[in-house]
Amino acid sequence: MDETALLAAEIAELKKHRNAVVLAHSYQVGDVQDIADFVGDSLGLSREAAATDADVIVFAGVNFMAETAAILNPTKTVLIPDPKAGCSLSDTVSARDVLRWRSEHPNGLVVSYVNTTAEVKALSDICVTSANAVKVVESLDRDRDLLFLPDMFLGEYVKQQTGREMDIWLGECHVHAGIGEQELSDRISSFPDAEFLIHPECGCGSSCLYLKPDAKIFSTEGMVNYAQSSSKKEFVVATEVGIIHRLNKKTYGKRFIPVKESAVCQYMKMNTLEKIRDSLRSNTHVVRVDDDIAAKARRAIDAMLAVV
């Protein structure tokens, strides 16, 4: 038995002993996805975290995701294998920034992407993911000012789809922002017959409107669902490359080409089988959120989860 198989077996035994589950984002390395009890996007992971009856949740993702799981499960133990797994997007906005906007728009609404800290969520009216952002914004009162944060590319996409006037925070994910027009143009030339699946956080999103008008804009989960049902056999995918492993597992006889091979989130890749094993074995690292902040943040998260 090789080292990967040994670690997987050890993790399975620890999960059984502690009544634990491992939740993994689709951007995790393949070995981590393979041992997870659930793999998905932020919305799916949030719903799974809210529904689990496990005593321990090991969150193979980044900090804001583990915080969300802890907020939704105040009586459970939530562990993150590497506490240094941050997020360049969530780092672009702070609670102070939200308070400043609210002081200038006292009747305004704050819509926060889940890629935010618990403190920012606590000051928000509702959270969204890339999977439901359009639907959520469409449901909100158009007579009130609205701030969408923190991703400017997702915000612009939502604005285009809804026709809603809103303030958009100028934040970005460093990985998705680096997937630009040149990379998209190169792939269009190389794979003219392929179907193009684009994440709305990508810097190439607006370019798609004229370079590849038939491209599909999807969340990571939307990409998986579409690829499974499509009759196409070749897809070019614009998001973090970890999704390719999941796409390959969920489909048969189809080819997936990343728009940019180097679109790798170093924070997501901090989670390893060794760290998951150690986290379960030693109960490290426990994710804790201040009770008052958690209660306020939960209202915004619950409002998101209520949008079907």
Side-chain angles (χ1 to χ4, degrees), residues 26 161 202 249 280-281:
S26 296
Q161 294 299 303
C202 288
K249 286 189 68 173
L280 278 166
R281 181 191 283 168

Side-chain angles (χ1 to χ4, degrees), residues 137-157:
V137 170
E138 284 178 336
S139 72
L140 300 176
D141 185 351
R142 285 182 174 264
D143 293 329
R144 298 174 67 179
D145 294 337
L146 190 151
L147 171 64
F148 187 98
L149 60 87
D151 189 84
M152 60 183 178
F153 297 114
L154 178 59
E156 283 296 335
Y157 172 72

Side-chain angles (χ1 to χ4, degrees), residues 102-120:
R102 280 201 175 280
S103 70
E104 297 168 358
H105 305 82
N107 193 43
L109 295 168
V110 176
V111 177
S112 292
Y113 197 17
V114 290
N115 302 45
T116 47
T117 64
E119 288 83 0
V120 168

Side-chain angles (χ1 to χ4, degrees), residues 131-140 162 307-308:
N132 69 358
V134 170
K135 186 177 290 187
V136 168
V137 170
E138 284 178 336
S139 72
L140 300 176
T162 63
V307 177
V308 179

Side-chain angles (χ1 to χ4, degrees), residues 52-64:
T52 184
D53 59 1
D55 296 321
V56 179
I57 299 170
V58 181
F59 212 111
V62 292
N63 279 327
F64 75 81

Side-chain angles (χ1 to χ4, degrees), residues 3 41 53 71-72 78 130 135 199 274 276 279 286 303 308:
E3 184 179 359
D41 63 359
D53 59 1
I71 290 165
L72 292 170
V78 177
S130 55
K135 186 177 290 187
H199 194 284
E274 291 89 344
I276 292 170
S279 185
V286 178
V308 179

Side-chain angles (χ1 to χ4, degrees), residues 17-21 52-58 73 75-78:
H17 176 69
R18 299 200 61 193
N19 187 28
V21 293
T52 184
D53 59 1
D55 296 321
V56 179
I57 299 170
V58 181
N73 294 278
T75 64
K76 300 180 186 299
T77 299
V78 177

